[in-house]
Amino acid sequence: MSGSQRVRVELASRSYDIVAGNGVLDDAAAWEGLGRGVQALVVSNTTVAPLYAQRVSDALKTRCSGVAVLELGDGESHKVWGSVEAIVDALLARGADRASMLVALGGGVVGDVTGFAAACYMRGIDYVQVPTTLLAQVDSSVGGKTAINHPLGKNMIGAFHQPLRVIADVDTLRTLPQRELVAGLAEVIKHGAIADDDFLAWIEANLALLLGRDAAALQHAVVRSCEIKAAVVADDEREAGQREVLNFGHTFGHAIEAGLGFGVWLHGEAVGCGMVLAARASAALGLIDGDRADRVTRLVANAGLPVRPPDMAVDRWIELMRHDKKSRGGSLRLVLLDAAGSARTRAVGEDRIRDLIGAALR
Ligand code: NAD
Ligand code: GLY
């Protein structure tokens, strides 16, 4: 096991550590202080549980009064009320009380639904995130956004509920399908683009190692991404303003996901292409020079993410982008890059967005 690293998410009484490293699932220090004498329910899915649930249960058995594993089905279609009910059923069947703890073992789907169930059960119980996709390790397990989907919209039912700890074992990424690994890289690139030019340069220089799943490179990508996200969340836990920068590329990305039908492009693939469009919008508005927009485009392409948007009528793009949670009073707001290597949300005229999409589709 290589040395693990800790990143603190500073949120007063809701502060917690992210423990990241190769082999941390089996490291007693990573679990220290969690679940002493309480019942734990590990929530996972039919793909991840056979791979890692035994190791997580073993780690918990030494400290908890009881440990059980619940397997949900795999996929976004399981991020629904039925899964929350299954978790609550399992907790009640075991007589779980307010001191009980949930452990989310899996990607962002398992993390989001388990976190939401933890926020709801007896008005809120503890949970630990054990993310096993790159996307979950660098993004969704951190920051306390939990949600399930509604037939009329993704993530429409949810709560802010911070985990007690995040235990991110980069060794688990060795079994991740390559397409999922690449999708997770989009969120890593996002963190460099919005907050840290040196990190962006590091990603450029180490892309081959990341794509080849070098453990040390992946650990650095996870730790630096978590440091950047932790700082943003510490300043704006409930997304009153600055946290919106974590949505760089997401306004275009969500339009792609919804327009094509969820799952056709993975979230990270849509975000990758969305970042290219948002970088071009930043250049079109004179906030960055064209070279910087080209740099983002090159990195997204070299990572193996799509840079050409899917063919959709421009009117359809605008309609879908209006559903973005950042829209205010019907006007579109985008997270845009600036010359200082940071980002902020700005209102952008519909005509400019139409021109930009039209040019990208030509
Ligand atoms: P996912 O959870 O569907 O996982 C992707 C696939 O990889 C699944 O088939 C899963 O079973 C499999 N898998 C997971 N770990 C594996 C491993 N180690 N080895 C082999 N297979 C493995 O997808 P995701 O990309 O992790 O998460 C996407 C979800 O995250 C979306 O629902 C999105 O809305 C949400 N999200 C939430 C936040 C947040 O802040 N809460 C942020 C970004 C995304
Ligand atoms: N993934 C965006 C956020 O957590 O705010």
Side-chain angles (χ1 to χ4, degrees):
M1 179 172 60
S2 68
S4 65
Q5 290 170 276
R6 284 188 183 236
V7 177
R8 186 84 176 153
V9 184
E10 293 288 355
L11 287 167
S13 64
R14 297 178 310 293
S15 299
Y16 55 96
D17 281 346
I18 302 158
V19 187
N22 198 20
V24 288
L25 278 191
D26 309 310
D27 180 5
W31 297 91
E32 198 167 327
L34 294 174
R36 182 70 57 210
V38 309
Q39 284 203 45
L41 178 67
V42 180
V43 182
S44 191
N45 72 18
T46 48
T47 303
V48 179
L51 295 169
Y52 303 112
Q54 189 59 53
R55 285 165 65 190
V56 170
S57 297
D58 289 346
L60 291 166
K61 272 177 190 151
T62 59
R63 55 196 73 246
C64 298
S65 61
V67 181
V69 178
L70 175 68
E71 283 185 28
L72 304 174
D74 188 358
E76 187 74 29
S77 63
H78 295 277
K79 206 171 121 175
V80 289
W81 276 117
S83 296
V84 177
E85 278 171 8
I87 295 170
V88 170
D89 287 351
L91 288 168
L92 288 171
R94 297 177 60 78
D97 60 19
R98 269 203 159 148
S100 310
M101 181 174 89
L102 290 175
V103 178
L105 171 67
V109 168
V110 166
D112 278 11
V113 75
T114 306
F116 183 60
C120 296
Y121 187 71
M122 295 195 176
R123 301 197 181 89
I125 61 170
D126 289 336
Y127 75 112
V128 173
Q129 289 271 18
V130 184
T132 62
T133 63
L134 184 59
L135 181 135
Q137 294 191 354
V138 301
D139 189 357
S140 64
S141 66
V142 174
K145 279 188 180 175
T146 76
I148 55 171
N149 301 326
H150 184 277
L152 295 180
K154 193 167 147 66
N155 293 331
M156 282 300 142
I157 304 158
F160 285 96
H161 188 49
Q162 300 293 341
L164 266 193
R165 190 165 302 162
V166 179
I167 298 176
D169 192 334
V170 295
D171 188 45
T172 62
L173 303 179
R174 285 199 296 173
T175 53
L176 196 62
Q178 187 69 7
R179 189 178 169 198
E180 298 288 351
L181 184 90
V182 168
L185 278 177
E187 305 286 2
V188 177
I189 295 169
K190 175 191 80 178
H191 288 124
I194 61 169
D196 184 349
D197 213 42
D198 289 345
F199 184 44
L200 197 65
W202 180 89
I203 301 165
E204 288 168 334
N206 290 277
L207 196 54
L209 288 175
L210 291 166
L211 290 167
R213 302 175 197 227
D214 176 83
L218 285 171
Q219 182 168 330
H220 182 69
V222 170
V223 168
R224 186 65 197 123
S225 290
C226 288
E227 286 170 349
I228 291 167
K229 183 161 182 180
V232 173
V233 169
D235 273 355
D236 180 18
E237 182 182 7
R238 289 182 168 247
E239 201 165 301
Q242 186 56 16
R243 184 165 177 168
E244 286 182 347
V245 298
L246 296 173
N247 277 298
F248 175 57
H250 285 57
T251 308
F252 292 108
H254 286 152
I256 293 171
E257 286 184 273
L260 295 182
F262 286 98
V264 177
W265 283 26
L266 297 179
H267 176 72
E269 293 168 342
V271 167
C273 184
M275 290 192 293
V276 168
L277 293 170
R280 287 186 187 151
S282 310
L285 290 162
L287 299 168
I288 57 172
D289 59 30
D291 286 351
R292 191 166 171 85
D294 290 345
R295 188 178 166 199
V296 172
T297 306
R298 226 175 7 255
L299 183 52
V300 169
N302 290 342
L305 292 158
V307 293
R308 191 187 147 75
D311 264 320
M312 288 194 289
V314 176
D315 282 345
R316 177 77 175 134
W317 278 92
I318 298 292
E319 180 195 337
L320 291 164
M321 288 172 75
R322 283 198 192 292
H323 290 140
D324 188 74
K325 291 194 198 77
K326 292 184 296 304
S327 295
R328 295 283 180 277
S331 74
L332 295 168
R333 295 168 72 244
L334 295 180
V335 178
L336 297 173
L337 302 179
D338 58 33
S342 54
R344 62 180 257 221
T345 312
R346 298 167 199 253
V348 182
E350 187 181 309
D351 288 351
R352 275 198 183 269
I353 294 178
R354 284 181 179 277
D355 290 349
L356 184 89
I357 293 169
L361 287 172
R362 275 197 286 277

